[in-house]
């Protein structure tokens, strides 16, 4: 029930944004469709509705968005340097790193953040063993623990506070 | 407000141009993927952010915000899927590459397993 209500609120907010100059017809049709969708698929998409009530998680989410934006800009400066440099200084390789995040949303966002941060791109996630395979433009260490420290830690701490 | 938006649009076009250049200059499919997804995520988001600043929070502005969220979520996922698909279909890393732990995880080869 709780998860259906959450999904209903998300659907209505996105619908209102897409049809902003509000008319009675669009509001009514949006609400009706949202009720149907939320009643049918609420339990499928929102599996742990109780964590939406923890206020602290939203502050960490805001911090995560700022962190991600900074990382994306840093990654782009790095790419500009590598692409414009006449010799293309790359030292690529795929390394294995470990993660302790358990939730599916957390793992997905971790993989996305690794792809967006400096010189790294996720190739595969092994959720069962908590392993992530990362393509690294400039391999600094082939050791799993050292690479985990360099690539995963800064996002893992924040994402664990949001989703676990 | 308008000039501020134009600055973001120019930054975005610059990033997209670098992304295009990286597709031509990088040595193999993984490095290309990596350079392209980062520059194009930033480039497209910056252009849409420029639109948002030009129009303010209006009917156009909110759709722009929604687009930024959707691109930020989906662009890395598509890069991830393409890289994984390329590896599974056997496209090799460039000769400059130093290690490939993913290959060893699919085809176990004794001592290379673990911290190679």
């Amino acid at each position: 029930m709780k998860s259906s209500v959450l999904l209903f609120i998300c659907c209505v907010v996105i619908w209102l944004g897409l049809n902003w100059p509000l008319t009675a017809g669009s509001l009514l049709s949006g609400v009706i469709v949202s009720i149907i969708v939320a009643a049918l698929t609420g339990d499928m998409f929102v599996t742990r509705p109780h964590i939406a009530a923890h206020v602290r998680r939203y502050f960490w989410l805001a911090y995560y968005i700022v962190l991600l934006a900074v990382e994306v800009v840093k990654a782009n400066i790095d790419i500009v340097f590598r692409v414009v440099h006449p010799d293309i200084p790359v030292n690529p390789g795929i390394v294995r790193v470990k993660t302790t995040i358990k939730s599916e949303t957390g793992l997905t966002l971790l993989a996305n953040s690794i792809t967006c941060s400096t010189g790294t791109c996720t190739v595969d996630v092994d959720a069962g063993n908590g392993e992530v395979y990362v393509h690294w433009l400039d391999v600094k260490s082939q050791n799993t623990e050292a690479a985990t420290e360099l690539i995963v830690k800064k996002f893992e701490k924040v994402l664990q506070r949001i989703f676990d | 407000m308008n000039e501020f938006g134009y600055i973001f649009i120019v930054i975005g076009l610059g990033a997209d141009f670098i992304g295009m250049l990286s597709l031509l200059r990088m040595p193999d499919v993984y490095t290309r993927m990596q350079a392209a997804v980062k520059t194009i995520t930033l480039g497209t988001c910056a252009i849409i952010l420029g639109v948002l600043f030009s129009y303010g929070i209006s009917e156009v502005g909110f759709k722009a915000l929604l687009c930024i969220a959707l691109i930020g979520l989906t662009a890395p996922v598509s890069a991830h899927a393409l890289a994984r698909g390329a590896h599974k279909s056997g496209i090799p890393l460039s000769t400059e590459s130093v290690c490939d732990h993913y290959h060893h995880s699919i085809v176990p080869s004794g001592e290379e397993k673990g911290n190679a």
Side-chain angles (χ1 to χ4, degrees):
Chain A
M1 188 60 212
K2 257 187 192 168
S3 42
S4 297
V5 173
L6 276 175
L7 191 65
F8 171 73
I9 293 169
C10 289
C11 288
V12 169
V13 168
I14 290 174
W15 174 260
L16 290 186
L18 283 174
N19 296 280
W20 178 240
L22 207 53
T23 60
S26 75
L27 182 65
L28 190 68
S29 55
V31 167
I32 290 171
V33 173
S34 298
I35 286 173
I36 296 170
V37 168
L40 288 178
T41 63
D43 300 329
M44 239 187 281
F45 293 118
V46 189
T47 47
R48 294 173 301 153
H50 59 276
I51 69 168
H54 301 169
V55 180
R56 219 160 7 110
R57 293 177 194 273
Y58 295 100
F59 288 106
W60 282 108
L61 186 65
Y63 173 67
Y64 167 73
I65 290 168
V66 174
L67 178 73
L68 191 65
V70 172
E71 282 296 325
V72 169
V73 172
K74 266 170 32 188
N76 274 275
I77 292 167
D78 180 66
I79 290 289
V80 168
F81 166 71
R82 284 180 203 283
V83 170
V84 175
H85 195 286
D87 299 331
I88 316 180
V90 289
N91 179 28
I94 297 180
V95 295
R96 179 197 296 116
V97 295
K98 291 257 175 207
T99 175
T100 51
I101 295 178
K102 290 281 178 291
S103 68
E104 281 180 12
T105 326
L107 271 174
T108 312
L109 280 181
L110 178 73
N112 276 5
S113 344
I114 288 174
T115 300
C116 284
S117 64
T118 314
T120 51
C121 172
T122 313
V123 178
D124 201 356
V125 177
D126 185 348
N129 299 325
E131 286 174 344
V132 183
Y133 295 91
V134 175
H135 184 267
W136 204 353
L137 264 191
D138 179 16
V139 177
K140 293 197 182 70
S141 166
Q142 295 187 31
N143 181 286
T144 303
E145 278 75 33
T148 305
E149 197 64 42
L150 283 169
I151 298 174
V152 180
K153 282 295 172 228
K154 57 189 167 202
F155 295 117
E156 196 176 55
K157 277 180 276 181
V158 181
L159 284 170
Q160 253 167 350
R161 291 200 168 102
I162 301 173
F163 292 109
D164 275 359
Chain B
M1 209 58 182
N2 247 335
E3 291 74 15
F4 205 51
Y6 288 141
I7 292 171
F8 271 93
I9 291 176
V10 168
I11 291 174
L13 287 174
D16 275 355
F17 176 74
I18 293 290
M20 203 179 64
L21 207 61
S22 72
L23 284 181
L24 296 171
R25 295 207 65 197
M26 284 293 184
D28 69 348
V29 63
Y30 305 97
T31 47
R32 278 178 197 157
M33 184 91 60
Q34 175 150 181
V37 69
K38 288 192 184 71
T39 47
I40 285 170
T41 308
L42 179 80
T44 315
C45 285
I47 291 173
I48 298 173
L49 211 60
V51 172
L52 175 66
F53 279 126
S54 308
Y55 283 87
I57 298 286
S58 60
E59 45 183 313
V60 178
F62 192 89
K63 286 178 186 110
L65 264 183
L66 209 60
C67 283
I68 290 175
L70 285 178
I71 288 173
L73 281 175
T74 53
V77 173
S78 64
H80 165 191
L82 284 168
R84 185 167 179 268
H87 204 290
K88 294 247 168 185
S89 59
I91 296 172
L93 274 75
S94 77
T95 47
E96 298 163 42
S97 303
V98 290
C99 58
D100 186 357
H101 293 178
Y102 188 44
H103 181 69
H104 299 314
S105 80
I106 305 167
V107 187
S109 64
E111 81 272 49
E112 292 273 30
K113 262 284 195 187
N115 300 336

